[in-house]
Amino acid sequence: MTESMDVKMGSAAAVGGALGAISRYVLFIWMPVVSFPLATLIVNYLGSFILGALTEYAGKKRINEWVRLAIGTGFCGGLTTMSTFSKEMVYMFQIGKEGSALVYFISSLVGGLLFCFLGTNVAARIVETKETLAGE
């Protein structure tokens, strides 16, 4: 890979990451504060869906590598947040909300997988529909 390609790829990931982080920030401000970390759950679900869809679509159609980096590594990486999830889990245990922590853990893991699977299936349907309409 050339130096100019490295700059292009790095820039794509950085711009995508900035947009993902800003999106997370806006969602966290917009979401009402509740005792359960709903905002983190939602951004992680959304990121799982987008990454699943992107991966499926990119596997079936040609997408420029810099676009995949911008959306997958950048946007989804900036949007989702393992560190906040971890901090919230530890905090719930510290304040004695073990039941809520367990629900949060299970809903994060199972929900993230389900949203990724859903994104994969939606993208597969989109590709299939486009190919059918195009007569491929």
Side-chain angles (χ1 to χ4, degrees):
M1 191 178 293
T2 66
E3 189 175 327
S4 65
M5 285 298 287
D6 286 343
V7 170
K8 183 177 183 178
M9 299 300 189
S11 298
V15 169
L19 293 173
I22 291 167
S23 298
R24 176 174 18 125
Y25 176 74
V26 168
L27 280 168
F28 274 44
I29 289 174
W30 179 73
M31 293 288 302
V33 176
V34 293
S35 61
F36 191 80
L38 190 58
T40 304
L41 196 61
I42 289 171
V43 297
N44 287 337
Y45 283 175
L46 183 59
S48 294
F49 178 88
I50 293 168
L51 194 55
L54 173 70
T55 303
E56 179 69 18
Y57 192 84
K60 296 188 186 259
K61 295 291 183 181
R62 292 184 59 87
I63 294 180
N64 288 328
E65 184 65 23
W66 69 268
V67 173
R68 283 193 280 181
L69 278 170
I71 298 170
T73 302
F75 184 81
C76 290
L79 177 68
T80 61
T81 173
M82 182 66 177
S83 57
T84 301
F85 164 77
S86 300
K87 175 201 57 102
E88 290 165 343
M89 286 289 303
V90 168
Y91 179 70
M92 283 191 272
F93 276 107
Q94 287 175 335
I95 63 171
K97 294 194 171 202
E98 292 86 2
S100 292
L102 183 61
V103 168
Y104 184 41
F105 177 78
I106 292 170
S107 61
S108 292
L109 181 62
V110 173
L113 290 170
L114 288 174
F115 272 90
C116 185
F117 181 74
L118 181 63
T120 300
N121 285 324
V122 167
R125 291 273 173 112
I126 289 170
V127 169
E128 185 180 296
T129 302
K130 282 184 169 185
E131 288 173 351
T132 301
L133 292 174
E136 293 180 19

